[in-house]
Amino acid sequence: MAIWPPEQIESVLDRILLKVQKPGRYTGGELNQIVKPWDSVQTHVALIFPDIYDLGLPNLGLTILYDEINRRADALAERAYAPWTDMESQMRSLGMPLYSLESKHPLQQFDILAFTLPYESLYTNVLNILDLAGLPVLAEERNERHPLVIAGGHAAFNPEPMSPFIDAFAIGEGEEIIHEIVDVYQEWKQSSETRETLWVKLAKIPGMYVPRLYEVEYHPNGTVRRIAPRVEEAPLPVVKRIVAQLPPPVTRFIVPSIDIVHNRIPIEIMRGCTRGCRFCHAGMVTRPVRERPVEEILQAIEAALEATGYEEVGLLSLASSDYTHIRELVEAVASRFGDQKITVSLPSLRIESFSVELMKELKSLKPSGGFTLAPEAASERMRRVINKYIPHEQILETARAIFSQGWTTIKLYFMIGHPEETLDDVQAIMDLCHAVLREGRRICGGRAKVHAGVSTFIPKPHTPFQWVSVDTMEQIQAKQTLLRQGLRGQGFKLNWVDPKVTLHEAWLSRGDRRIGQVILRAWQLGAKFDAWQEHFLFERWIQAFEECQLDPAFYSYRKRDLDEVLPWSHISIAVRPSYLKKEYQNSLSGTLRDDCRGQCYACGILPTFNDIRAKTPAEAWKCPPVRRKTPIKEKVTV
């Protein structure tokens, strides 16, 4: 594909934008975008969200990197998203390359292409974007003339399925590592050394995984025999990166010119979680907990309101009510911004009356929609298995408080398919929904509604359940049929996930390096926008598995041995494998673990980062003190 100058791209855009939906996805020019003179900076980075603009623009991870890179005088960051199918058709018919929104430079002219991978159903879109940019999709086919292709995000904690396409993965948090990547790239670019030298230099950055510097061997039964470095400089394991203290929040958010999924100011009030839910990937990989001071949050809200004109603020975390100073924060937000007619949301509240009290205090700030609770399981036995124990009566007490405060809709989120689950446990979901609706009707009559969202559990890497299997298609369908029959009628709404979508995510999240062949073949067969129901075609993936001579059941239905080398064993989230195994064994006996803010259970996270923790104010780390002065070295067999 020929390299188009920005002027040519802009000229063609003038002709084709009236032929596509939502032209504002492709024009840039939004309030608060940053446009630097192209020739005035040394390094050009394209930040890419591999889905449409509507979903990618509010992504907080890319927003943070956009701010970090553009603070440098020697680099710029611009944005690109996946064009919707109508725009892609126009571009392919004209041979037009994918470009950045800010300067309209084609992606192939950038030095670094940085993808975020928050979930696995975006994988084929990554290949499609590389192809639209005129670049080889396979990393081994790219050379010194091509951009460096990197990726990060939660899905990158198992990088193996995408390793044939990505040059290097940033494992963990990006605020600091992105600068080190740029520095290493600049040093390499000035040296005129080989591309292989760049891989070695990148591998020396803590938290960087360069797939081509590692080899994977398999047993005859298809399981991983070992993962070994090819060169001395490649670390084993690759330990994730964290920032010891959260930097000040971004406040100059880009304001879109079209409607998107989240038109609001996102302020992260804390990072990490100490609850230890055994199914929760995010809770494990984001440890340890770090909090922002109340005044810093208030100043960020004030600055962001001034810079954007938004009327909604989201105070984000995995568990908002676990924030140490949550009541002080809520009271201060209500006091300072109560007369500005803005909406403030506190997602991820715990099931407790305290959460209702918090929302009550925010009523002056127009909280919208229903009240959301996430029991995840409805029987007390299953809550012990997953380590999210909430007494049945506490859920009903919270529901009564919610309805009594004027909310008429409660949204309940559950998972089916947890380890050791039976149909009786699924029946308990229906029983709980009916009990909550009865409480609502007693308090607010026929206006009471219960919306049940039921997803299907997928055992994710780096969690205590990473060794268990996924429910079969037949098991999932039987459980969903039971729920559909039991949650009919006035006052109920039920949402569920297609079992085929669940299996697709399981293959990609639990796969090894060979799954890359399947991803490539599925894309060649037309797979893209797999997260969109109207575009996801299960049969393409089954055909891809068959042509690659791999068994999809091997990745979904097979229970792993506790001593098996897992495809992600060489990636460390700094939580000890022995801790994850112990938690899995606790699940089998129904043994509960309390919140680890009160007692340290030696997961390994704090000793691993004890060196940077010592340099950080104690107020920022909400975990028990570490008594050991040196990290425990646990042997990792990969």
Side-chain angles (χ1 to χ4, degrees), residues 132-391:
L132 279 169
L135 299 171
V137 298
L138 290 170
E140 65 183 14
E141 295 179 1
R142 298 193 292 266
N143 56 39
E144 285 82 356
R145 297 181 295 106
H146 297 121
L148 170 69
V149 178
I150 64 174
H154 277 202
F157 281 99
N158 177 16
E160 289 305 286
M162 286 297 285
S163 62
F165 318 108
I166 305 298
D167 296 322
F169 292 87
I171 308 298
E173 297 168 2
E175 287 95 336
E176 296 173 349
I177 197 172
I178 189 62
H179 293 290
E180 295 168 31
I181 294 169
V182 171
D183 291 342
V184 163
Y185 182 87
Q186 290 177 345
E187 178 187 340
W188 169 79
K189 193 76 171 178
Q190 293 171 351
S191 69
S192 299
E193 293 175 316
T194 65
R195 189 88 157 179
E196 288 68 26
T197 304
L198 176 59
W199 310 146
V200 173
K201 290 179 180 293
L202 288 170
K204 291 180 180 179
I205 300 174
M208 288 300 293
Y209 172 58
V210 182
R212 68 188 60 199
L213 299 184
Y214 298 78
E215 60 182 356
V216 183
E217 298 177 5
Y218 301 91
H219 291 292
N221 66 359
T223 59
V224 177
R225 179 177 176 270
R226 73 179 190 123
I227 304 168
R230 296 178 184 271
V231 298
E232 183 180 348
E233 293 85 352
L236 190 71
V238 178
V239 181
K240 75 172 185 181
R241 287 292 291 270
I242 68 165
V243 290
Q245 186 173 10
L246 299 182
V250 177
T251 57
R252 295 192 64 83
F253 296 96
I254 294 174
V255 180
S257 50
I258 64 171
D259 192 30
I260 60 174
V261 292
H262 293 303
N263 268 310
R264 68 182 183 190
I265 296 166
I267 303 293
E268 186 183 29
I269 63 175
M270 62 180 281
R271 190 175 295 176
C273 184
T274 55
R275 295 284 179 156
C277 298
R278 293 172 182 136
F279 60 85
C280 186
H281 181 259
M284 292 293 166
V285 302
T286 60
R287 290 185 177 203
V289 167
R290 286 140 293 156
E291 298 188 350
R292 284 196 166 106
V294 170
E295 187 56 36
E296 183 177 86
I297 296 168
L298 296 173
Q299 290 174 1
I301 295 173
E302 193 162 7
L305 289 171
E306 178 69 23
T308 65
Y310 275 131
E311 296 180 344
E312 181 177 350
V313 178
L315 303 177
L316 307 184
S317 67
L318 290 177
S320 301
S321 47
D322 284 352
Y323 176 67
T324 305
H325 306 290
I326 187 62
R327 184 176 291 280
E328 177 188 347
L329 174 62
V330 168
E331 291 174 350
V333 169
S335 173
R336 187 175 299 192
F337 305 106
D339 60 350
Q340 296 189 28
K341 298 182 179 179
I342 64 170
T343 299
V344 175
S345 59
L346 266 179
S348 305
L349 289 170
R350 297 292 177 189
I351 297 177
E352 51 193 12
S353 56
F354 177 58
S355 296
V356 184
E357 290 299 313
L358 290 175
M359 293 303 291
K360 181 181 177 182
E361 292 184 34
L362 281 175
K363 273 200 168 181
S364 62
L365 298 174
K366 304 189 304 181
S368 58
F371 201 106
T372 301
L373 303 175
E376 306 295 355
S379 69
E380 298 204 1
R381 183 183 75 88
M382 286 311 305
R383 292 178 194 139
R384 288 182 173 275
V385 169
I386 67 175
N387 201 46
K388 191 169 184 179
Y389 186 75
I390 309 159

Side-chain angles (χ1 to χ4, degrees), residues 472-528:
T472 65
M473 183 91 73
E474 294 72 24
Q475 289 172 317
I476 298 171
Q477 290 171 337
K479 292 173 182 179
Q480 291 179 342
T481 298
L482 185 62
L483 290 170
R484 288 197 298 270
Q485 292 172 345
L487 295 176
R488 293 174 174 171
Q490 185 178 2
F492 287 118
K493 180 180 178 181
L494 174 64
N495 294 317
W496 64 92
V497 177
D498 186 333
K500 295 177 180 178
V501 172
T502 297
L503 292 178
H504 173 255
E505 184 180 339
W507 301 331
L508 299 184
S509 64
R510 298 163 60 75
D512 52 43
R513 191 170 291 195
R514 295 170 298 185
I515 286 288
Q517 308 168 45
V518 180
I519 296 170
L520 176 62
R521 186 61 189 136
W523 171 71
Q524 292 170 338
L525 292 169
K528 60 186 174 185

Side-chain angles (χ1 to χ4, degrees), residues 537-552:
L537 290 178
F538 189 71
E539 293 71 22
R540 288 174 180 162
W541 286 91
I542 295 299
Q543 180 182 343
F545 269 102
E546 291 173 351
E547 293 185 15
C548 295
Q549 299 182 334
L550 291 172
D551 181 7

